[in-house]
Amino acid sequence: MPPRQPLARLGSALARRPRRALRSSVLLALIALVLAAGTMDRLVLSRFESPGSESVTTRAVLEEEYGTGTPSVLLMVTAKEGTVDTPAVAEAGRALERELAARDGVAETASYWSRGRSPVMRAEDARQALVVARMAGTVTQARAELARISPEFTRDGELLDVRVGGGDEVFRQAAEQAREDFLRAELIVIPLVLLLLFVLYRRFSAAALTLAMGLFSVIGTLALLRIVTLFTDVSTFAANLTLVMGIGLGVDYSLFVINRFREALASGAEVPDAVRESVTRAGRTVAFSGLTVVVSLACLLLFPFPFLRSFAYAGIGTVLTSVFAALVILPAALARLGHRVARRKAGEGVETVQGGDWWRRTALRMMKRPLLYGIPALAVLLTLSAPALGLTFGVPDERVLPRETSSRVVQQDIRENFAAEEMDAIQVLDGGGMSAADVERTALALSRIDEVHQVDALTGSYADGRRILDAGTWSARFEGRSDGTWYSVIATHEGLEREVDRVIGEIRTLAGDDARVAGYPAELADFRAELTGRMPLVLGLILTVTFVILFLVTGSVLLPLKAMVLNALSMAVMFGTLVWVFQDGHLSELLGFTATGSIEPSIPILMFCTAFGLSMDYEVFLLSRIKEEYDLTGDTPHAVATGLERSGPLITSAAVVLAASFATYASSGIVFLKMLAVGMVVVILVDATLIRVVLVPVFMRLAGRWNWWAPRWLRGVHGRLGIGESESGAVPERTHTPAAADL
């Protein structure tokens, strides 16, 4: 093909001047490595909150007008002898609070003893009590200071045993665990992927070259994240996604380019011509496959949460760097290595390793009896998806950490030994103009809510519709600069875990229209509401843009719809697995986690966007190859069988590598990363087996000529803009009938 197309010109240029391209790439990689080296230190931590929501703005008012807010750190104080009311223990507890208050970064403190011996801050056996603190500054600054405070205040003295807990300590330790998991995954993923690639290629040079493209993507993405951190916050957990997706996509795209290069060499082409053909033919598919992943992950930017947006930055970066590596660096390296990357003998390659003939025979068998194979496969997928109907969203807590982690142990003690948790108090801000009688009337009403254990207010503490503690110096915190006030509503553990939305709703009703609600439970409720409220927009955008991309690949209206239906089945299986394993607790002992009966909602949304993009990535590779064969023959069964024969082994190989990369996080100490590992492995393997092996050929056989149908005006659009691995994107007029011999 003459080098008139952009990709053909790029391939020709790389084939003519590979040394120049490689030198420039090495320089670029070195610059990226320097930038990437400082990325981990610039990644930040974030809370589950919705910027601009009622809970966040109310928290700001409480901090500014009342000098108070939601505590995020606690000290669990255990009396060695006696109880926390023993004079010597009480004095030691007050001294501990004063010491904590004097530390830099601590904005506010309180304790059982300074709060008038509040019952909610004392264990039921009276041997434990709490000191709570609110940290100043951003969440990253707070947790950085906490990293210094935590070891200093973990003590085993003569009178007291002191341990550190609280939300910020839980997620600080979670971030540390995530960094450790990142380093451990590096040590596992790199040699594992190299071994898999050597088995696939049977040449070390090809395996090492492919892995190098994945490593370039990881380093390049970390460098891009370093630049992004100059303008916005990027979560620490984005590095974990960068590693697995960088390796996975870098290897995926390289597999297809190298396969095209090997095919060209096997057909007798010279090395420069083989380089140009691999860039021209595979390059279009790689570019548009990358675009499908970018679209899915870019939709995470529609959520106003730094946590989810961080994964969008990481995902987009991995796609861009992987495509660049596959279409620029890799072809230049192939031009230099030449036949050292070729198959060792005729007929040997990735196809024969995975059994290309098997794929063809299987596809023809599926198409010969489509209902016989299609209905059972569909039944299996629907059965695996069934648990998803019981999906329940909940709040994250200390159980995201391993059982032995210190902050989890502290929080578990609170769960078992305290009637409620002061740290998770719901703060109700009233605009003002209320008398003491009005304040007490409201506090009494709030205390009668079934799941509320205690209400603290300007006029005292209340429980079950009665006053249990008179006002004192501790109640001055409810007085602000204006004539308003606020209430601290402390719910039971059961209320926070199972009925938090209803509890907050009742609080709003009883407090009146002018009241505003803050506190960690309210922030999580607002976070979930914003998250689920934006899902229809995100889902609609993903489906629309993906439909357009697949139409440009196939020229068909039906095939993109088919791809979305099959993709929906894959997603349903993934969610069914998440519910069965992580919500219901099956395999919890094997995987080493504690089921909570619910799932934090942002992780499934992240997994949906990631998995949908990757599934469509494989769909583009498959359909482009089928379309190429159909353009040549006009025979749909033959095109499906040949397309699966040539792309099926590659898709399976790429899926195995990507699944192996994600699987390394199954051993993580963080439940979120375990969910990512298990869910992504399931969806990748289901997509590359039952979907590709059975349902794709079955569907295309049943659809027949309707596979390629499009309105006349859309055929004209595809003729001008369509893409694929064939010479032309246009759909030719066909008079050829399907080959009966193939069926």
Side-chain angles (χ1 to χ4, degrees):
M1 184 174 62
R4 61 184 182 277
Q5 298 182 8
L7 285 172
R9 290 197 296 270
L10 173 62
S12 297
L14 293 171
R16 289 195 307 269
R17 300 181 181 86
R19 289 179 180 271
R20 179 180 300 178
L22 288 175
R23 283 197 294 266
S24 300
S25 298
V26 169
L27 178 60
L28 180 62
L30 291 175
I31 295 173
L33 187 61
V34 172
L35 289 173
T39 300
M40 295 299 291
D41 293 334
R42 295 188 63 88
L43 300 181
V44 301
L45 305 169
S46 56
R47 295 188 175 101
F48 291 93
E49 61 185 26
S50 176
S53 64
E54 176 186 301
S55 57
V56 172
T57 56
T58 303
R59 183 182 68 192
V61 172
L62 288 171
E63 291 177 358
E64 181 179 352
E65 294 191 9
Y66 294 86
T68 190
T70 303
S72 56
V73 180
L74 68 83
L75 303 181
M76 169 78 78
V77 180
T78 303
K80 290 292 189 67
E81 294 182 4
T83 70
V84 292
D85 293 314
T86 301
V89 174
E91 180 55 36
R94 295 188 188 95
L96 184 68
E97 180 188 353
R98 291 193 295 269
E99 182 183 355
L100 180 62
R103 290 299 301 259
D104 292 337
V106 176
E108 180 186 9
T109 62
S111 70
Y112 165 70
W113 302 279
S114 64
R115 287 274 177 89
R117 301 180 188 268
S118 171
V120 79
M121 300 183 73
R122 184 185 66 182
E124 294 179 340
D125 63 3
R127 294 193 64 250
Q128 294 175 313
L130 300 181
V131 177
V132 300
R134 176 172 61 88
M135 305 296 290
T138 66
V139 62
T140 302
Q141 293 169 338
R143 291 175 184 171
E145 182 61 33
L146 186 56
R148 293 184 283 272
I149 289 176
S150 182
E152 294 181 22
F153 281 83
T154 301
R155 301 172 181 178
D156 186 7
E158 294 182 5
L159 289 174
L160 306 177
D161 175 79
V162 184
R163 291 173 293 163
V164 182
D168 273 357
E169 178 69 355
V170 167
F171 287 102
R172 182 189 71 81
Q173 292 189 323
E176 287 184 352
Q177 182 70 54
R179 288 191 178 95
E180 293 176 8
D181 293 338
F182 177 84
L183 296 176
R184 185 177 67 252
E186 280 186 311
L187 297 177
I188 298 174
V189 167
I190 294 173
L192 176 61
V193 171
L194 183 60
L195 177 62
L196 290 173
L197 291 173
F198 180 75
V199 172
L200 292 171
Y201 285 124
R202 301 183 186 179
R203 275 192 179 272
F204 181 78
S205 58
L209 184 60
T210 302
L211 179 60
M213 298 304 102
L215 293 176
F216 174 85
S217 177
V218 174
I219 294 170
T221 303
L222 289 175
L224 292 176
L225 290 179
R226 172 73 180 276
I227 296 173
V228 174
T229 60
L230 299 176
F231 305 97
T232 187
D233 291 342
V234 179
S235 172
T236 302
F237 290 94
N240 300 94
L241 186 68
T242 296
L243 175 63
V244 291
M245 283 197 65
I247 294 288
L249 290 180
V251 168
D252 281 5
Y253 297 157
S254 298
L255 276 171
F256 285 89
V257 173
I258 290 178
N259 184 65
R260 276 292 191 177
F261 178 73
R262 284 179 149 189
E263 284 185 0
L265 290 181
S267 67
E270 297 296 327
V271 170
D273 293 332
V275 170
R276 180 168 57 82
E277 183 172 347
S278 64
V279 174
T280 303
R281 290 181 178 271
R284 282 192 290 262
T285 305
V286 166
F288 274 78
S289 296
L291 183 59
T292 62
V293 184
V294 165
V295 167
S296 293
L297 288 169
C299 287
L300 292 172
L301 296 174
L302 296 175
F303 295 105
F305 314 127
F307 179 72
L308 285 177
R309 287 183 171 182
S310 298
F311 292 106
Y313 305 140
I316 293 171
T318 56
V319 174
L320 295 178
T321 53
S322 296
V323 170
F324 177 83
L327 300 188
V328 177
I329 303 176
L330 179 59
L334 293 175
R336 293 292 299 159
L337 292 173
H339 288 277
R340 281 175 285 180
V341 182
R343 300 161 187 165
R344 290 188 179 277
K345 58 183 179 181
E348 180 184 297
V350 174
E351 293 92 336
T352 58
V353 171
Q354 295 294 335
D357 290 340
W358 178 87
W359 281 86
R360 182 180 185 85
R361 291 195 305 271
T362 301
L364 292 173
R365 186 163 60 250
M366 298 299 134
M367 289 187 287
K368 188 174 183 179
R369 296 182 177 86
L371 297 180
L372 178 64
Y373 294 105
I375 292 176
L378 185 61
V380 170
L381 292 176
L382 292 176
T383 301
L384 294 175
S385 305
L389 298 174
L391 176 64
T392 301
F393 288 136
V395 299
D397 57 33
E398 75 281 355
R399 287 171 288 184
V400 303
L401 290 169
R403 290 183 177 89
E404 67 278 4
T405 306
S406 61
S407 59
R408 173 171 174 172
V409 173
V410 170
Q411 297 303 124
Q412 191 64 38
D413 280 351
I414 293 175
R415 190 184 301 274
E416 295 173 355
N417 301 327
F418 287 68
E421 189 164 350
E422 168 72 21
M423 299 285 289
D424 286 341
I426 300 168
Q427 298 151 351
V428 183
L429 177 64
D430 196 293
M434 297 178 68
S435 65
D438 292 333
V439 171
E440 182 162 39
R441 188 180 305 110
T442 301
L444 286 168
L446 293 173
S447 72
R448 293 189 185 99
I449 298 174
D450 288 340
E451 290 78 14
V452 170
H453 180 76
Q454 180 175 315
V455 177
D456 295 335
L458 181 63
T459 53
S461 290
Y462 303 84
D464 297 323
R466 60 186 179 85
R467 185 190 296 180
I468 61 172
L469 194 64
D470 292 333
T473 56
W474 60 270
S475 57
R477 62 189 174 120
F478 296 103
E479 295 179 347
R481 298 175 185 174
S482 61
D483 59 350
T485 189
W486 64 280
Y487 308 86
S488 177
V489 182
I490 305 163
T492 62
H493 299 303
E494 293 77 12
L496 291 176
E497 288 183 3
R498 299 184 179 88
E499 304 287 343
V500 63
D501 290 329
R502 186 178 63 79
V503 171
I504 292 175
E506 287 193 35
I507 289 173
R508 286 194 168 109
T509 300
L510 291 174
D513 295 336
D514 295 334
R516 293 184 289 171
V517 178
Y520 185 59
E523 290 176 7
L524 286 175
D526 288 346
F527 176 80
R528 288 199 308 275
E530 183 73 18
L531 201 64
T532 54
R534 297 212 177 196
M535 270 307 297
L537 172 63
V538 171
L539 183 61
L541 185 60
I542 289 176
L543 294 178
T544 300
V545 178
T546 302
F547 179 90
V548 172
I549 293 172
L550 291 179
F551 169 75
L552 293 177
V553 172
T554 63
S556 164
V557 170
L558 185 62
L559 288 179
L561 294 177
K562 178 270 301 179
M564 291 179 184
V565 171
L566 295 184
N567 234 15
L569 282 173
S570 297
M571 298 301 105
V573 171
M574 179 184 71
F575 285 119
T577 302
L578 292 181
V579 171
W580 191 78
V581 175
F582 293 96
Q583 179 176 305
D584 298 341
H586 299 96
L587 306 181
S588 59
E589 290 299 322
L590 177 64
L591 294 173
F593 71 92
T594 302
T596 62
S598 63
I599 293 177
E600 195 284 316
S602 64
I603 301 301
I605 290 174
L606 163 66
M607 293 173 64
F608 170 82
C609 293
T610 304
F612 191 93
L614 292 175
S615 295
M616 283 301 178
D617 181 53
Y618 293 144
E619 190 77 20
V620 170
F621 279 121
L622 176 60
L623 289 180
S624 63
R625 202 69 193 246
I626 292 175
K627 175 65 165 54
E628 179 182 0
E629 294 300 322
Y630 181 77
D631 285 349
L632 292 174
T633 65
D635 183 343
T636 298
H638 168 78
V640 172
T642 304
L644 278 167
E645 177 186 13
R646 296 185 178 180
S647 63
L650 289 172
I651 290 174
T652 301
S653 302
V656 168
V657 171
L658 191 59
S661 299
F662 274 105
T664 57
Y665 284 122
S667 62
S668 168
I670 308 298
V671 172
F672 296 155
L673 294 179
K674 288 182 187 289
M675 291 173 60
L676 184 66
V678 173
M680 294 302 298
V681 167
V682 167
V683 77
I684 289 169
L685 295 183
V686 165
D687 193 70
T689 53
L690 282 177
I691 299 294
R692 301 286 173 250
V693 175
V694 182
L695 293 183
V696 167
V698 162
F699 180 94
M700 297 193 75
R701 173 66 180 88
L702 292 175
R705 289 188 175 276
W706 287 99
N707 281 304
W708 312 103
W709 178 84
R712 181 176 297 276
W713 68 275
L714 279 179
R715 290 201 299 271
V717 172
H718 183 262
R720 293 189 299 273
L721 304 177
I723 60 97
E725 291 191 351
S726 57
E727 300 284 340
S728 170
V731 180
E733 296 293 331
R734 296 294 180 193
T735 58
H736 189 284
T737 57
D742 273 343
L743 296 179

